[in-house]
Amino acid sequence: MVRCLAFGDLQTCVGRILGQGKVQFKFQTEESMNLVLRRSPMLFDDWMLSIHRWDPNISDAEMKIIPFWVKIQGIPLLYLTNAMARAVGNRLGYVDDVDFDENANHVGFVRVKINWNLDDPLRFQRNFRFDA
């Protein structure tokens, strides 16, 4: 059995090591668990953690998918829409959410939340071409 602080919070949880790199945590409250789930992805000792709500039927492939916010810069104003942000994001992975207000006056970047597979290499820059 593993005693822990709920990933940096003051609320405690207990966990058990399941093997094969998996640990199952039991939180005192649903709210504590949801707080940890919303904060993912997380790093521990320079390792990316895949955090999921427990389900007895979750596959190893599903465990390798993590939500990951990606910042996209440089989309020309002519093309700067939610649909374009989603299209660019879909080149990186499945887009779950777009954080962009098309009516905002100042737009330096847009953010997309993708479901990223841990088996895919993480690339810190990709270039796209916009034809006029």
Side-chain angles (χ1 to χ4, degrees):
M1 182 163 324
V2 177
R3 285 221 169 271
C4 61
L5 290 176
F7 299 87
D9 294 332
L10 297 176
Q11 300 172 2
T12 59
C13 63
V14 292
R16 94 177 104 164
I17 298 171
L18 302 175
Q20 298 177 357
K22 296 178 184 173
V23 178
Q24 183 181 40
F25 292 98
K26 181 178 180 182
F27 293 89
Q28 288 180 342
T29 66
E30 182 90 6
E31 181 182 19
S32 295
M33 180 190 63
N34 288 332
L35 180 64
V36 170
L37 289 171
R38 279 193 309 272
R39 288 183 177 172
S40 70
M42 294 185 179
L43 292 174
F44 175 76
D45 202 19
D46 292 328
W47 285 84
M48 181 72 72
L49 301 180
S50 171
I51 301 172
H52 295 272
R53 183 183 192 104
W54 185 81
D55 177 335
N57 299 317
I58 194 164
S59 69
D60 286 341
E62 291 171 299
M63 289 292 293
K64 292 181 179 182
I65 303 296
I66 61 171
F68 205 79
W69 282 101
V70 176
K71 183 164 101 174
I72 301 172
Q73 295 176 260
I75 297 176
L77 286 176
L78 176 65
Y79 300 107
L80 195 54
T81 64
N82 276 298
M84 182 56 72
R86 187 173 292 278
V88 172
N90 277 327
R91 300 280 306 268
L92 306 171
Y94 172 78
V95 174
D96 189 42
D97 194 9
V98 176
D99 180 21
F100 172 61
D101 179 5
E102 291 186 12
N103 298 316
N105 291 331
H106 176 70
V107 181
F109 62 89
V110 298
R111 292 184 336 136
V112 294
K113 183 178 176 183
I114 63 170
N115 290 328
W116 179 60
N117 186 325
L118 290 171
D119 286 338
D120 293 339
L122 188 58
R123 297 174 69 187
F124 290 95
Q125 181 174 333
R126 281 226 181 137
N127 295 317
F128 294 87
R129 169 169 258 146
F130 295 92
D131 294 324

